[in-house]
Amino acid sequence: MKSDALGAAKVANGLTVAPCLRQNTDMTERFTGSFTQQEPIPEEAIAAAVEVMRGGRLHRYNTLAGETAQTALLEQEFAAQTGARFCVAVASGGYALGCALRAVGVQPGETVLTNAFTLAPVPGAIAGVGAVPVYVGVTEDLVIDLEDLAAKADRAEVLMLSHMRGHLCDMDRLMQICGDAGITVIEDCAHTMGAAWNGVPSGRQGAVGCFSMQTYKHVNSGEGGLLITDDEDIAARAIMLSGSYMLYERHLAAPGPEVFERVKYITPNISGRMDNLRAAILRPQLRALEAQVDRWNDRYAVVEEGLRGTPGLRLTKRPVAERFVGSSIQFLLLDWTREAVQEVLARCAARGVELKWFGGAEPAGFTSRYDSWRYAPSQPMPSTDRVLRGIVDMRLPLTFSLEDCAQIARIIRAEVSAVFQAQPPVRAD
Ligand SMILES: Cc1ncc(COP(=O)(O)O)c(C=O)c1O
């Protein structure tokens, strides 16, 4: 993979694109990079991890007198970075979601609103606390359908809002709808660490924000989760839930002991703590997050620009208020037949470009849909189904150079155009 230096020109949203990258129309070029190869862990993080291992004190509460655990420091730093009062580090993003549901008081049998377009751990977290997901539709710009949300607002007291694939909806309007209906919002920020809406960091508008540090996310500790909130009771419950025994005073981004007095006898310990090794790996990565976001967005801009104007292909509109993190890109082959989409996927795959599709008859890999989660009954959602059938999704790891991104876009553009010309889309239903 080569460097970023391409003499790039500035385009909208502060992103950069080199116009020359779109010229090549060679139908035989093949991409040889890996869509699942992340960057190495930074040397500073490796050194910090080695130090933790040398000390042997990997458990977050295993500290020497006067020593502060890496995990507690991570929580303190992430709270400061996001402007949250409180932060809890846990074992995974999925654990953070389940912990948040419990901490806001969701009881078994209750309903929880959530996105029809998200990943399996989101409805899974709801089912994990014995609650029942009620799905809200998706728009052509891949955000939660706020009309549908308003229509269903009387059906639950909690919304688990998934910023799926990093698309932020009009958060002001969403918070207005939820505020009016008395709905508590939990934000699933697995794909929006480093993103913001009108300058407000993702995860800071709901009562709770939940993040994932699993390998394919914006910082990488293999597995890991962070939960942020400004609510002292939610924070104290989340800390107790995460498995703090009665050692909560060792947390730095936590409420005072008087708050724990209110919750400590009535909150179960459902162990899902983070350890010091992962925290040590994450702290330097969080310090570098802003620069990484810029690098992702440079790549996103090259692919977006390369795909712009491709016949039959719809790019999602990104609102000016949205500061997103382009760690993946989606486009719609709206109203294409399943066969035509499959043809595009096969042709791109043959040229080394790995695309995921949310419209397959059967869920594959990461791409299950609301109607795949049959433990939670759902009604058909025709306009959402139309969008889901057209969503094509691609990761953009930082190991791709801008030249790689330009080549990938050229390949997709050529293959989508070829299939489109051979069989223009008709409504699939
Ligand atoms: C949208 C979304 N939410 C939540 C999660 C859960 O994160 P984790 O894998 O850390 O449990 C994921 C992980 O893939 C995700 O993609």
Side-chain angles (χ1 to χ4, degrees):
M1 312 279 155
K2 296 177 211 124
S3 78
D4 292 2
L6 281 169
K10 283 267 174 211
V11 296
N13 212 6
L15 307 175
T16 53
V17 167
C20 60
L21 294 173
R22 293 178 54 188
Q23 304 309 311
N24 191 334
T25 51
D26 173 6
M27 283 297 279
T28 59
E29 62 177 336
R30 194 171 188 288
F31 180 64
T32 54
S34 164
F35 283 80
T36 51
Q37 182 58 57
Q38 305 304 317
E39 291 191 300
I41 299 300
E43 287 303 321
E44 192 192 346
I46 293 173
V50 168
E51 201 181 316
V52 170
M53 288 190 283
R54 290 225 162 91
R57 296 180 299 284
L58 273 65
H59 191 280
R60 68 168 296 162
Y61 300 121
N62 181 199
T63 47
L64 300 175
E67 184 182 35
T68 306
Q70 288 285 327
T71 314
L73 291 169
L74 170 73
E75 292 166 340
Q76 189 179 46
E77 288 163 6
F78 193 63
Q81 194 165 344
T82 53
R85 287 179 71 199
F86 310 116
C87 178
V88 193
V90 293
S92 72
Y95 183 91
L97 293 174
C99 184
L101 287 164
R102 288 190 172 91
V104 304
V106 172
Q107 298 298 319
E110 290 183 2
T111 48
V112 175
L113 292 158
T114 195
N115 307 58
F117 173 49
T118 184
L119 250 65
V122 177
I126 297 169
V129 300
V132 181
V134 174
Y135 299 110
V136 184
V138 63
T139 72
E140 290 181 20
D141 285 317
L142 304 189
V143 294
I144 192 165
D145 180 344
L146 295 177
E147 301 305 322
D148 196 29
L149 176 64
K152 292 174 177 164
D154 60 352
R155 293 181 50 187
E157 288 172 11
V158 173
L159 165 67
M160 179 160 275
L161 170 66
S162 184
H163 303 300
M164 177 62 172
R165 283 292 179 260
H167 296 271
L168 292 172
C169 70
D170 180 341
M171 284 300 294
D172 304 321
R173 189 146 167 252
L174 178 130
M175 292 309 294
Q176 179 78 49
I177 293 168
C178 291
D180 290 349
I183 292 173
T184 301
V185 178
I186 296 170
E187 294 184 68
D188 165 27
C189 306
H191 302 168
T192 53
M193 181 185 275
W197 180 262
N198 269 330
V200 180
S202 186
R204 294 290 294 126
Q205 271 158 303
V208 189
C210 299
F211 299 80
S212 165
M213 283 81 80
Q214 177 246 57
T215 284
Y216 298 116
K217 304 303 191 299
H218 301 167
V219 290
N220 173 13
S221 55
E223 303 286 354
L226 284 164
L227 180 157
I228 55 172
T229 183
D230 281 350
D231 183 299
E232 58 185 20
D233 286 284
I234 291 175
R237 280 194 290 266
I239 289 168
M240 294 302 302
L241 284 161
S242 75
S244 62
Y245 312 107
M246 292 291 164
L247 298 168
Y248 46 78
E249 80 287 354
R250 297 204 198 164
H251 285 245
L252 298 176
E258 70 289 355
V259 184
F260 287 91
E261 288 305 320
R262 294 204 287 266
V263 304
K264 70 182 189 185
Y265 298 115
I266 52 169
T267 309
N269 179 323
I270 305 177
S271 287
R273 293 169 301 272
M274 178 176 282
D275 58 89
N276 286 331
L277 192 53
R278 286 190 173 85
I281 291 171
L282 289 166
R283 291 178 62 214
Q285 293 184 60
L286 280 174
R287 288 196 284 275
L289 180 63
E290 269 301 301
Q292 298 291 78
V293 171
D294 288 342
R295 293 178 64 220
W296 261 304
N297 287 351
D298 288 346
R299 283 153 183 78
Y300 184 99
V302 170
V303 177
E304 184 183 48
E305 195 51 28
L307 294 181
R308 199 180 297 289
T310 305
L313 179 150
R314 186 187 192 282
L315 289 165
T316 49
K317 285 192 218 78
R318 314 281 330 213
V320 181
E322 183 195 29
R323 157 87 166 149
F324 62 92
V325 185
S327 54
S328 69
I329 188 164
Q330 295 70 43
F331 57 83
L332 287 178
L333 300 179
L334 207 51
D335 300 330
W336 287 45
T337 61
R338 288 207 157 104
E339 294 69 31
V341 178
Q342 271 161 339
E343 175 75 11
V344 168
L345 300 186
R347 292 170 72 133
C348 287
R351 294 177 67 185
V353 175
E354 209 181 286
L355 300 174
K356 295 194 172 62
W357 180 40
F358 282 84
E362 284 298 317
F366 294 92
T367 56
S368 56
R369 289 189 306 253
Y370 76 96
D371 56 355
S372 324
W373 307 318
R374 294 185 199 158
Y375 53 82
S378 60
Q379 301 298 317
M381 304 175 76
S383 66
T384 287
D385 292 340
R386 174 174 174 251
V387 173
L388 287 170
R389 263 200 304 273
I391 301 175
V392 181
D393 174 43
M394 183 173 76
R395 282 201 182 110
L396 290 174
L398 287 175
T399 47
F400 288 180
S401 67
L402 297 187
E403 290 91 340
D404 291 335
C405 293
Q407 185 187 40
I408 289 165
R410 283 196 303 271
I411 291 171
I412 298 172
R413 183 184 192 91
E415 297 304 343
V416 169
S417 303
V419 176
F420 184 81
Q421 275 154 23
Q423 44 181 120
V426 285
R427 271 304 275 265
D429 48 348

